[in-house]
Amino acid sequence: MKLADFGFIEGINEIIAVTRNEDGSLNTAPIGIIVEDCNSTLARARLFRSHTRENVKRDKVMYANVIWDAEIFALASFQDLEQDYFESLEPPVLKNALSWCKFRAMLRGAYADLELVDGKVLRKDVRAVNRGFNAVIEALVHATRYVILKDENKKRELKERILYYYEIAKKCGRDKEKKAFEIILEKIH
Ligand SMILES: Cc1cc2nc3c(=O)[nH]c(=O)nc-3n(C[C@H](O)[C@H](O)[C@H](O)COP(=O)(O)O)c2cc1C
């Protein structure tokens, strides 16, 4: 078993991380899994202050869902996805996820060291590159910073970037990307 089996490549892999909150409910958030060797079982994630970080610290477990769904990325950026969004709760798997993985996770400074311990490929999806999808991911990275920043100048700068990506999503995206942007725009007005 190795990371590549579940769709991970060298570099940063954007997935939906699923962890358990203290009350047992599921927490979902996009997280970048940093992979140096996709033929290994070892990876890292930089975890800023978040519920995901707290849950990893307590449980030492993080699940990853590999999924190509712009709307799911947008929703998970700002809230925890309810049970209806999952096709399985144990292990936690979102509807339409291509694969899931379980990582043993140990916090070390700003990072979590991750070791792949289980996983499954559920679907194989043939798809072309879509700039609309990519634009949603780029905009979300800025939007998740926007909502926690206080500095008005920085916020203005991020908003401009998000609106730039919005134009791309309108031109190149499908319905999912447009719905994702509805969620993003609501957060930055
Ligand atoms: C594409 C993408 C990648 C992200 N990667 C990370 C990451 O690697 N580490 C991190 O701490 N936050 C990352 N974030 C931000 C978190 O998803 C965001 O702060 C989220 O609200 C945390 O939710 P939580 O408090 O429920 O854990 C990323 C956001 C996006 C949109």
Side-chain angles (χ1 to χ4, degrees):
M1 189 172 57
K2 55 186 190 298
L3 290 160
D5 296 340
F6 305 105
F8 289 82
I9 59 172
E10 270 128 37
I12 302 185
N13 299 261
E14 309 301 345
I15 52 81
I16 305 293
V18 189
T19 54
R20 238 171 234 291
N21 295 316
E22 210 165 4
D23 65 2
S25 61
L26 294 174
N27 181 283
T28 48
I31 295 289
I33 307 273
I34 305 161
V35 173
E36 276 168 26
D37 176 5
C38 62
N39 290 311
S40 80
T41 54
L42 302 178
R44 283 189 310 154
R46 178 148 201 188
L47 294 182
F48 296 99
R49 218 147 59 102
S50 65
H51 296 115
T52 301
R53 186 181 167 91
E54 283 169 31
N55 295 345
V56 162
K57 188 174 177 189
R58 192 180 54 253
D59 266 6
K60 301 179 177 55
V61 170
M62 187 174 99
Y63 287 87
N65 276 209
V66 173
I67 189 165
W68 284 87
D69 186 321
E71 196 183 357
I72 291 289
F73 268 92
L75 288 167
S77 293
F78 305 110
Q79 68 182 66
D80 289 342
L81 294 170
E82 289 147 26
Q83 292 196 358
D84 284 359
Y85 287 94
F86 288 82
E87 65 182 37
S88 153
L89 297 175
E90 196 57 56
V93 184
L94 292 164
K95 286 177 184 162
N96 295 325
L98 300 179
S99 70
W100 65 268
C101 292
K102 181 180 183 181
F103 291 103
R104 192 174 295 134
M106 286 296 291
L107 281 191
R108 193 159 54 89
Y111 291 86
D113 288 334
L114 304 172
E115 186 191 355
L116 176 68
V117 291
D118 198 3
K120 193 169 180 189
V121 176
L122 303 163
R123 301 176 179 87
K124 295 210 170 162
D125 191 9
V126 181
R127 51 181 298 155
V129 172
N130 179 267
R131 290 178 66 207
F133 179 86
N134 295 350
V136 168
I137 299 299
E138 293 307 320
L140 278 172
V141 170
H142 297 316
T144 51
R145 289 189 187 138
Y146 181 97
V147 294
I148 53 174
L149 274 179
K150 300 250 174 334
D151 183 320
E152 283 305 325
N153 287 328
K154 287 199 180 128
K155 279 175 101 96
R156 200 171 311 121
E157 203 181 298
L158 290 180
K159 192 171 183 170
E160 271 172 31
R161 290 191 205 168
I162 292 166
L163 294 176
Y164 166 81
Y165 288 117
Y166 182 38
E167 292 306 312
I168 297 174
K170 277 196 284 190
K171 192 165 94 183
C172 309
R174 56 180 174 156
D175 229 36
K176 284 268 182 198
E177 283 70 36
K178 285 163 199 157
K179 280 193 187 147
F181 258 97
E182 279 172 23
I183 295 162
I184 297 170
L185 295 178
E186 220 173 86
K187 297 285 171 189
I188 62 159
H189 69 228

